[in-house]
Amino acid sequence: MAFIEVNNLTHIYSQGTEQEFCALRDVSFKIEQGEFVAILGANGSGKSTLARHLNGLLLPTEGSCQIQNLDTCNPQDVWQIRRQVGMVFQNPDNQLIAGVVEDDVAFGPENLGMEPAKIRQQVTESLKAVGMENFRKFAPHLLSGGQKQRVAIAGALAMNTNCLILDEATAMLDPQGRKEVMATVERLHQERGLTLIVITHFMDEAAKADRVLVMEKGQLVQSGKPQEIFADAPRMHKLGLAVPLAVELAWQLRQGGLQLPHDILSADDLIAALEARYVH
Ligand code: ADP
Ligand code: MG
C-alpha cells in the first residue's frame, strides 16, 4: 500500500443547508513514502480542503483517505495520523502559540506524553534540523516570517512526523524567507526521505517536485512530472495558472523558431540548452 491513498474522495461543506458546497469531487491519487508532490490550482479549487483531509482535520463526505493503512474515518487512528502528517499553514503568526521558541516546539511531544529528557532531545534536534538552534530562547515575535515557519516545521519534526504538508506556507514571506523555508524542506526531503506535499502558487517551487497534481473546481485534473505538466503552457493558463518563467521563455523562443528541448524547467536548464545549441 502507498504511504497516502485517497480514493473517490468527495467533500461537501454544510451538507443539507443552503450553504451546501461541494469542494472536492471524486478525487483519487496515491503518494509514495519519500515523494515530493506539488499541488497546484486556482483559488477555491479545493487544495486546502484536500490538505485538511490528509491529516484528518476534515472527514470524507464520500470516499476514503488512508495514511499508512490508517483511515481518517477511524477515531482511534486520527491522532496517529496527525502525528505522522505535519501541516504548515499560510500565516506564520497564527501557528506559534508559546511565548518562547523551544516551548512551542515542545508542545507536540508534551501532548504525546514523551519523557522530559526525550522532549529536550527532540526539541534540540528539530531546531537544528531547521537551522534555528540559536533561537531557542527567543520570543516568536522577534523572528522573521521565514524563521517562524521553520519553527513550525521543527514542531512537526519534534513529533517524529514523516510527512510535511505546506499549505501555501511561503505565500506571506519575502523572497529571502521563501528561499529559507523551501531550502529547509527540500533538505529534509533529500536527507531524511521526508514525504513532502507543497501547495503553492509559486511555479518555481512546483518545478522542483517529483510530481505535480493539478486541481480545478474540486477535481483532480492532471498528475504528472513537472516537465509534462508545464509543457502545455496554454492549458495551464486556461486553468488560471502560470508556468515557471524559464518554461514560458523557452516556449516563446520555440514559437520564434529556436530549437530547444521540451524539458526545460529552470533558468539554468534554459541557459544550458541555449549554450549547447547556439553558442559556439
Ligand atoms: P483553495 O485552497 O484551493 O483555495 P479551499 O479548499 O480553501 O480552496 O476551498 C474550496 C472551496 O470550498 C471554496 O469555494 C471555498 O469557498 C469553499 N469552502 C472552504 N471552506 C469552507 C467552509 N468551511 N464552508 C463552506 N465552504 C467552504
Ligand atoms: Mg487554500
Side-chain angles (χ1 to χ4, degrees):
M1 192 175 178
F3 180 65
I4 292 176
E5 291 205 4
V6 172
N7 285 306
N8 309 105
L9 175 64
T10 292
H11 187 87
I12 302 176
Y13 284 110
S14 311
Q15 196 171 23
T17 72
E18 263 178 32
Q19 287 83 39
E20 179 167 307
F21 186 83
C22 184
L24 292 176
R25 195 184 297 274
D26 202 18
V27 172
S28 299
F29 62 88
K30 292 178 186 181
I31 294 180
E32 299 296 337
Q33 174 104 53
E35 238 190 315
F36 173 4
V37 174
I39 302 180
L40 303 178
N43 283 335
S45 58
K47 305 179 298 297
S48 294
T49 303
L50 179 59
R52 286 177 157 80
H53 275 276
L54 298 182
N55 80 343
L57 288 171
L58 289 174
L59 296 178
T61 307
E62 280 172 41
S64 69
C65 192
Q66 285 163 311
I67 287 85
Q68 280 201 323
N69 278 324
L70 302 170
D71 197 307
T72 58
C73 283
N74 288 340
Q76 69 270 29
D77 286 350
V78 163
W79 290 107
Q80 180 67 7
I81 289 172
R82 297 232 176 110
R83 177 181 171 169
Q84 284 192 38
V85 180
M87 285 261 260
V88 184
F89 297 97
Q90 186 168 23
N91 190 339
D93 293 319
N94 290 347
Q95 299 186 65
L96 308 186
I97 39 180
V100 182
V101 164
E102 63 179 358
D103 293 347
D104 208 279
V105 178
F107 189 75
E110 274 167 6
N111 275 333
L112 294 174
M114 280 188 204
E115 296 289 319
K118 178 73 179 157
I119 295 176
R120 275 194 296 279
Q121 184 194 346
Q122 292 289 102
V123 169
T124 302
E125 283 175 10
S126 306
L127 283 171
K128 247 189 215 153
V130 300
M132 288 296 288
E133 65 270 32
N134 295 333
F135 296 86
R136 64 185 297 159
K137 301 285 181 196
F138 275 55
H141 72 264
L142 297 174
L143 305 180
S144 70
Q147 289 173 329
K148 285 178 192 162
Q149 295 297 56
R150 281 151 65 202
V151 172
I153 293 166
L157 296 180
M159 291 196 285
N160 292 324
T161 185
N162 49 17
C163 174
L164 265 185
I165 304 178
L166 271 55
D167 188 357
E168 303 204 34
T170 62
M172 294 175 72
L173 306 181
D174 60 19
Q176 177 61 28
R178 274 184 59 203
K179 255 192 225 155
E180 285 171 17
V181 169
M182 284 310 293
T184 301
V185 293
E186 281 179 62
R187 189 167 41 70
L188 291 168
H189 163 66
Q190 278 160 10
E191 289 176 3
R192 303 185 175 200
L194 197 80
T195 306
L196 189 56
I197 301 173
V198 173
I199 298 172
T200 185
H201 280 291
F202 294 107
M203 298 302 149
D204 52 339
E205 294 177 359
K208 293 185 180 150
D210 301 319
R211 195 151 56 99
V212 177
L213 306 180
V214 184
M215 303 285 302
E216 186 192 24
K217 297 186 183 138
Q219 290 184 295
L220 180 61
V221 291
Q222 272 188 302
S223 165
K225 290 198 165 67
Q227 287 90 339
E228 296 160 6
I229 298 292
F230 293 131
D232 193 349
R235 175 165 166 82
M236 291 298 278
H237 294 158
K238 260 190 221 142
L239 292 167
L241 297 167
V243 299
L245 183 59
V247 175
E248 185 78 48
L249 268 175
W251 192 79
Q252 295 201 6
L253 290 169
R254 257 183 247 114
Q255 298 293 304
L258 266 64
Q259 293 183 357
L260 292 169
H262 286 265
D263 58 357
I264 290 169
L265 280 178
S266 66
D268 286 345
D269 295 346
L270 179 56
I271 291 165
L274 285 168
E275 277 180 349
R277 176 122 200 141
Y278 295 102
V279 181
H280 298 289

